[in-house]
């Protein structure tokens, strides 16, 4: 497997990309580092979503449910004097528990019905945040007393390292026998079950793994931003951005989610002078890539590398 991985153009693209990204703080401004830090966290969100949809075949329209659970749990505990390491752990555990709860209907319903269930879960979480505003900050938002660092370069390297480790683990799972079983279960669960695979067990494991990285990334993101709000972490539109990032980068590639997230964040910032029109332009460009390049941006790059 190692020899096959080394011969894969994707391996070298990722290695070169990480090497170049690691030296960016030496010559770019803190403003750009801040944008990339956000993009890296969103990249982890997209990679975690891709494992669930691209491989397990579960149409999760509410990735922000897991992200929000991790973020708000960590932020609320920190407001009560709990240290950052324990807050990160608690946020991850909360997301896993939420993932298990969300997985229960996934084992009973399929297609759009499960997708609707995930959307409803996000709406319920939004309402709970508003109802318990004294604890969560409500619509105004939750401010956490602690942050990981105030140095842009330090925050950038933490986000880059976390993204790199997350991508490595998720990709290793995807190309392992477990990943192959997930693909088979997602494409035809009846046939996979007939072959002797425990479809329910593997899909439940996929939910848990996705929840771990979504929740931990959400908790880390809160301690980077210093605040949590429905509009930045839980809103359905944020989930749509996560999904577009994964599909745009390349479905069933895992690491393509990072490329898609960076593209969306960078394009949105470059086109900011256009005002509300910038969202339309970015969305149109993303739609064009999805329609005409089904393998996504990463698939396009790897094909270019193979032709060269």
């Amino acid at each position: 497997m190692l020899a096959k991985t080394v011969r894969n153009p994707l391996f070298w693209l990722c290695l070169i990309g990480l090497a170049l990204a690691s030296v960016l703080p030496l010559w770019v401004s803190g403003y750009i580092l801040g944008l990339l830090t956000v993009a890296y966290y969103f990249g982890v969100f997209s990679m975690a979503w891709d494992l669930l949809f691209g491989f397990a075949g579960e149409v999760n329209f509410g990735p922000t449910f897991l992200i929000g659970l991790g973020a708000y749990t960590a932020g609320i505990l920190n407001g009560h004097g709990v240290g950052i390491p324990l807050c990160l752990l608690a946020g991850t555990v909360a997301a896993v528990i939420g993932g298990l709860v969300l997985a229960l209907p996934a084992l009973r319903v399929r297609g759009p019905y499960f997708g609707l269930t995930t959307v409803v879960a996000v709406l319920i979480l939004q309402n709970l945040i508003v109802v318990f505003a004294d604890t969560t900050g409500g619509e105004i938002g939750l401010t956490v007393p602690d942050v990981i660092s105030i140095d842009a370069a330090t925050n950038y390297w933490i986000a880059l390292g976390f993204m790199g480790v997350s991508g490595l683990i998720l990709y290793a799972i995807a190309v392992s026998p477990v990943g192959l079983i997930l693909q088979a279960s997602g494409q035809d669960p009846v046939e996979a079950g007939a072959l002797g695979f425990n479809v329910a067990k593997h899909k439940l494991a996929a939910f848990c793994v996705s929840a771990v990285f979504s929740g931990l990334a959400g908790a880390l993101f809160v301690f980077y931003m210093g605040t949590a709000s429905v509009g930045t972490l839980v809103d359905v539109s944020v989930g749509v951005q996560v999904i577009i990032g994964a599909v745009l980068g390349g479905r069933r590639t895992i690491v393509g989610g990072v490329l898609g997230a960076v593209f969306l964040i960078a394009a949105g910032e470059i086109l900011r002078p256009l005002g509300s029109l910038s969202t339309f332009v970015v969305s149109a460009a993303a739609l064009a890539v999805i329609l005409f390049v089904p393998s996504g941006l990463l698939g396009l790059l790897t094909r270019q590398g193979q032709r060269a």
Side-chain angles (χ1 to χ4, degrees), residues 59-63 65 102 113-123 207:
V59 186
N60 178 13
F61 290 132
F65 175 70
L102 198 60
Y113 298 103
F114 173 68
L116 290 174
T117 302
T118 60
V119 173
V120 171
V122 173
L123 296 178
F207 269 99

Side-chain angles (χ1 to χ4, degrees), residues 72-93:
Y72 271 90
T73 300
I76 291 170
L77 289 177
N78 186 244
H80 286 81
V82 180
I84 290 180
L86 286 178
C87 289
L88 295 177
L89 177 61
T92 305
V93 171

Side-chain angles (χ1 to χ4, degrees), residues 243-250 256 260 263-264 285-287 289-290 295-298:
I243 294 170
I244 292 177
V247 178
L248 180 63
F263 173 83
L264 289 176
L287 180 61
V289 173
I290 292 171
S295 58
L297 296 174
L298 191 61

